[in-house]
Amino acid sequence: MPLVLAKEGEANLIKKVTGKEETRLFLEKLGFVSGAAITVVSSMGGNLIVNVKDSRVAINKDMARGIIV
């Protein structure tokens, strides 16, 4: 399922990151790689704040749709 559908506070594993190559590379540098643990901290209008690799990162809903957990 896409990350935008994940529940707040629930730990998930990233299965795949899809989308444009430049977006995938950007997310990969932030730690969004297959097998990484990710937790949604909060969600507002589809935009998310997530914990990934011991960091909090804000991503928009378009990026979150491309992250499959």
Side-chain angles (χ1 to χ4, degrees):
M1 75 175 164
L3 185 60
V4 286
L5 299 178
K7 295 180 182 176
E8 290 183 24
E10 186 176 280
N12 293 287
L13 288 179
I14 298 174
K15 294 183 180 174
K16 183 167 84 169
V17 179
T18 63
K20 295 180 183 177
E21 184 175 354
E22 61 189 40
T23 304
R24 287 194 330 262
L25 292 174
F26 173 74
L27 290 172
E28 185 178 305
K29 289 178 183 177
L30 292 175
F32 293 85
V33 294
S34 295
I38 188 167
T39 305
V40 176
V41 175
S42 69
S43 173
M44 288 180 61
N47 299 320
L48 304 175
I49 297 176
V50 298
N51 274 341
V52 63
K53 300 261 184 175
D54 297 328
S55 298
R56 282 194 178 183
V57 181
I59 58 174
N60 67 28
K61 59 185 170 188
D62 295 327
M63 288 182 181
R65 280 191 199 116
I67 300 170
I68 308 302
V69 296

